[in-house]
Amino acid sequence: MGSHDDTASPNPDLRGLRCPECGETYRDRWRCRCGAPLDFADPPTPEGPAPDPDSFDARGGLWAFDDFLAVGDDPSDRVTLAEGMTPLVDADEGRGSAGDAGNEAAPWNASFKLEYVFPTGSFKDRGATATLTRARGLGVERVVEDSSGNAGAAIATYAARAGIAAEIYVPADVKESKLRAIRRAGAEPVRIDGSRGDVTDACVAALGGGGSGAAEATDRSGTDAWYASHAWNPAFFEGTATVAYEIAYQRGWEAPDAVVTPLGHGTLFLGAYRGFRRLERAGWTDSVPRLYGAQAAGVAPIVRALHGPEAAAPDGTVNEAADGIQIAEPVRDREIRAAIDATGGDALAVTEAAATRELDRLHAAGFYTEATCAVAPAALRTLRERGEVGPDEDVVVPLTGSGLKS
């Protein structure tokens, strides 16, 4: 175990990184030399009791929880669009116990966290504000990212806010609405043929250095670039952890019984896990909810690992509608499975037919979301049918992306 200085930062007070696998520490780097993803070595935990929700100043959005955040210690580094504090609403309010007219589906009996009202229309803004804040503190001038669309649009937008150049690697068949958002923010999209994994490989190859994980590398343009990866960069998970802080605050510092999220690379899933663990450790809540991840049928590696190939592709086809979570090899898959085990949760695969039905129900109820986020309420429906989530349990489901991107 050792310590390495992998970047010359203009801010010597920025928090360092540590490898959870081998214990190596770094000033900054996107991947450990052993190949594992890195985390912050000393994430903060506030001292003292939780503040009174009625007197808590939430006007700072997700930055109101800066006592929990390992980025943005210097407020002048923060790259923000006043994001966060998304609404937490009763999913069935005003619709009656039997759901909407003409729809015989059971009510959701849950709270929806409306993550699709963020500035770029997805929860990825949580990670982008934290990641670009870290980049600004390090004096970064250019970032690269690979994404199926939402993370790319978020990184491009917050890079524009920070005055940092950005290059975003995307699948060749990315939705035009997401491509437009990347371009309009002044970032350069690079379209890559092949699978989602091929997009990541192309981005890492363009960084140079043989994918060594160095903090900055010379990209294809011949300039230094910093990898603002939503899967690898620990700052992104600092941002997504704020979903837990907000949910707890909006519920009077009481954790729900369960949270159900879409699950690809696990950025929101693991963010929620880390956030609720920190809240419990700080004494602000008494428990950590069970965490359930909804994967796209046919591309469900966590389900496959836990329950076998038939459970991962229950109808033998790929859920093409849920393109935002078609991740065959999640970077942090061991951490995802550990979070499921630690909370008593699970992962399940959602077919395209089930997700499409759920998307229609969401739209009919006034929740104009994109297709990928429909897998989470569809998974909740299955969990209730199986009896894994009881009818009287409090459940929160984040609705992660706007239908305006479809």
Side-chain angles (χ1 to χ4, degrees), residues 64-397:
F65 301 101
D66 57 1
D67 284 347
F68 282 101
L69 295 172
V71 296
D73 288 341
D74 182 347
S76 67
D77 285 338
R78 296 176 188 175
V79 180
T80 179
L81 291 166
E83 58 289 307
M85 286 300 172
T86 57
L88 184 68
V89 304
D90 182 339
D92 301 296
E93 185 176 357
R95 302 180 64 232
S97 60
D100 58 306
N103 188 343
E104 298 180 356
W108 287 292
N109 190 20
S111 295
F112 285 164
K113 181 86 164 129
L114 307 188
E115 298 288 273
Y116 61 89
V117 304
F118 269 103
T120 75
S122 95
F123 81 92
K124 296 288 177 58
D125 290 359
R126 291 190 186 277
T129 183
T131 301
L132 268 299
T133 292
R134 171 80 173 176
R136 175 183 273 175
L138 289 166
V140 168
E141 296 181 356
R142 182 178 182 84
V143 299
V144 295
E145 155 73 315
D146 56 277
S147 164
S148 62
N150 281 336
I155 292 294
T157 297
Y158 281 82
R161 181 69 166 168
I164 294 174
E167 188 174 80
I168 311 296
Y169 285 70
V170 298
D173 60 353
V174 66
K175 289 183 172 67
E176 183 59 35
S177 58
K178 295 177 181 178
L179 198 62
R180 188 183 311 117
I182 292 168
R183 286 180 174 141
R184 293 297 293 170
E188 179 185 354
V190 181
R191 300 173 84 157
I192 302 296
D193 290 319
S195 69
R196 180 62 183 82
D198 293 329
V199 178
T200 298
D201 291 343
C203 183
V204 171
L207 275 170
S212 67
E216 286 190 301
T218 301
D219 71 1
R220 67 191 190 117
S221 70
T223 59
D224 285 345
W226 188 77
Y227 193 20
S229 169
H230 63 287
W232 287 94
N233 199 305
F236 205 95
F237 293 85
E238 286 297 296
T240 57
T242 61
V243 72
Y245 312 146
E246 290 182 22
I247 290 170
Y249 162 69
Q250 290 167 320
R251 292 172 48 87
W253 304 121
E254 180 180 338
D257 295 308
V259 175
V260 186
T261 78
L263 178 57
H265 269 305
T267 50
L268 189 62
F269 182 90
L270 288 176
Y273 177 57
R274 294 180 181 199
F276 280 114
R277 282 185 65 197
R278 288 189 196 171
L279 286 163
E280 184 185 43
R281 191 178 304 127
W284 288 25
T285 61
D286 294 330
S287 62
V288 175
R290 302 195 308 278
L291 294 178
Y292 295 94
Q295 298 207 283
V299 192
I302 304 300
V303 178
R304 177 182 287 269
L306 295 177
H307 303 296
E310 290 187 7
D315 64 356
T317 64
V318 172
N319 181 348
E320 298 288 359
D323 61 312
I325 54 172
Q326 291 178 4
I327 306 297
E329 297 180 1
V331 166
R332 298 173 183 264
D333 98 309
R334 287 170 60 180
E335 186 180 352
I336 292 169
R337 284 183 280 141
I340 289 170
D341 183 61
T343 67
D346 204 353
L348 59 165
V350 177
T351 65
E352 184 166 350
T356 300
R357 286 194 300 271
E358 206 64 34
L359 185 66
D360 289 342
R361 293 169 184 143
L362 288 167
H363 289 178
F367 300 106
Y368 192 51
T369 65
E370 65 178 353
T372 294
C373 85
V375 300
L380 173 60
R381 198 173 297 281
T382 298
L383 290 165
R384 290 201 187 279
E385 290 170 354
R386 293 178 180 174
E388 294 182 45
V389 175
D392 297 324
E393 290 193 290
D394 289 330
V395 181
V396 173
V397 181

